[in-house]
Amino acid sequence: MSLLIVAGIVAAGTAVLLSVLLAVCVGPSLLSAPLRNPEAFRRRLYNVAPFFVVLVLVLGINKGLHDVSQDVSWVVGQNVTGVFYDLEGEFLIALQNAFPEQAAFYFSFIYVFGYVALLVFPMIAYLFSDSLHNLKVTLIAYATNYGIGVLMYTMFIAYGPRNVMEGLLSQPMYEVYPEVMFLTSAVNTNTNVFPSLHTSLSVTAMILALMSHREFPRWTPIALLLGTSVVISTMYLGIHWLTDVIVGVALGALAVYIGEYVVNRVDRSGVIADPDDDQPSVSVSD
């Protein structure tokens, strides 16, 4: 099966999961609001577009400099793989043994499909909030995660535990979704595990879910469940060390703080006018 077909299957599965989450947590009435007031929705898209551009630019720059970053890392980077192994020992083996074999299906599903849905949901749902503040913070926080993460990937060389403890640590993803594992291997580099961006971005999404609980109360417990499951899955599947996860948690919280700071500064400066200040919001009452 080609990587393109695998990518299509993953995209389709994620789209189904995302559609269900939007229907349950946002609701058809709110989702259909743009049809009732398309002009207000266009204003909101225009207002948030610069923040989307920032995220796209960061992702594009990271992708463009990927090979350069890897080359530089081997010159100036510090190999910390042995340090992590000495600190943690066989903790991940004990973690795997703490779960029944059937958990491999759950954590593999979460790592592949749940993670993407967790990150994409806020970018869609918060577009229908009374205020665009949380969506702006989300976009800047995501960009911050990737920006700092890639910088740390350049500064530190760290192989994942599945590469270090081969034969001791099982690799459930290869058994459950071997094609998907090959897809992720084609995108990621096995030395880029510190910190865990799966963890940092999931923590970012969880914090924002708590911040938006008043508007989307059903999303909060789902986000917490998905996010926590993603964090555990990165270790259970042998992809990340506990150290990667701990630093990832800190990075996720820092990213939200930076996102709040940047958005508040931009809003106070008045450089980008917020349509919610003087225009009716896109809501079910429109």
Side-chain angles (χ1 to χ4, degrees):
M1 187 179 297
S2 70
L3 291 180
L4 184 60
I5 295 176
V6 174
I9 294 174
V10 171
T14 303
V16 172
L17 177 59
L18 193 58
S19 299
V20 173
L21 290 174
L22 288 169
V24 172
C25 300
V26 179
S29 296
L30 198 56
L31 290 173
S32 63
L35 299 177
R36 299 192 299 273
N37 195 341
E39 181 58 32
F41 194 71
R42 280 194 292 270
R43 286 195 300 269
R44 293 169 70 83
L45 289 175
Y46 177 82
N47 180 260
V48 81
F51 299 88
F52 270 109
V53 170
V54 170
L55 176 58
V56 171
L57 285 176
V58 170
L59 293 176
I61 292 173
N62 288 347
K63 182 65 176 177
L65 297 178
H66 179 268
D67 291 339
V68 175
S69 174
Q70 289 298 303
D71 293 339
V72 172
S73 180
W74 283 110
V75 176
V76 303
Q78 179 70 34
N79 193 327
V80 294
T81 309
V83 176
F84 294 167
Y85 185 62
D86 290 340
L87 283 174
E88 301 182 22
E90 298 183 349
F91 167 76
L92 296 184
I93 297 177
L95 178 67
Q96 284 188 341
N97 292 334
F99 291 93
E101 292 184 5
Q102 293 77 8
F105 293 93
Y106 174 74
F107 286 121
S108 297
F109 176 86
I110 288 293
Y111 187 85
V112 176
F113 299 100
Y115 171 68
V116 179
L118 176 66
L119 299 192
V120 175
F121 177 92
M123 293 192 290
I124 299 176
Y126 297 163
L127 191 57
F128 298 89
S129 298
D130 290 338
S131 169
L132 292 174
H133 179 83
N134 284 336
L135 177 55
K136 296 175 182 177
V137 173
T138 298
L139 297 172
I140 297 300
Y142 283 0
T144 301
N145 274 290
Y146 282 108
I148 296 178
V150 171
L151 178 62
M152 295 187 69
Y153 288 160
T154 304
M155 295 171 57
F156 300 99
I157 298 171
Y159 286 92
R162 58 182 175 170
N163 302 115
V164 177
M165 293 187 284
E166 190 174 358
L168 297 175
L169 189 69
S170 65
Q171 301 184 40
M173 188 89 99
Y174 278 119
E175 301 171 6
V176 179
Y177 298 124
E179 297 86 357
V180 173
M181 198 62 184
F182 290 131
L183 174 63
T184 59
S185 298
V187 176
N188 300 319
T189 304
N190 58 6
T191 57
N192 288 349
V193 301
F194 178 72
S196 167
L197 283 184
H198 265 66
T199 295
S200 66
L201 288 163
S202 296
V203 168
T204 293
M206 286 191 284
I207 294 174
L208 287 159
L210 292 170
M211 292 168 57
S212 62
H213 177 71
R214 181 182 64 82
E215 289 191 273
F216 304 107
R218 293 179 180 176
W219 170 240
T220 305
I222 295 176
L224 294 177
L225 174 61
L226 285 176
T228 302
S229 297
V230 168
V231 172
I232 296 174
S233 74
T234 64
M235 295 182 289
Y236 175 85
L237 297 174
I239 298 171
H240 284 286
W241 303 92
L242 175 61
T243 307
D244 305 332
V245 168
I246 293 174
V247 176
V249 171
L251 174 56
L254 175 63
V256 175
Y257 176 83
I258 293 175
E260 279 281 351
Y261 177 81
V262 171
V263 172
N264 288 333
R265 286 294 297 270
V266 171
D267 287 346
R268 283 198 298 268
S269 69
V271 174
I272 303 175
D274 192 337
D276 299 319
D277 290 339
D278 53 11
Q279 300 287 350
S281 63
V282 179
S283 66
V284 292
S285 60
D286 287 340

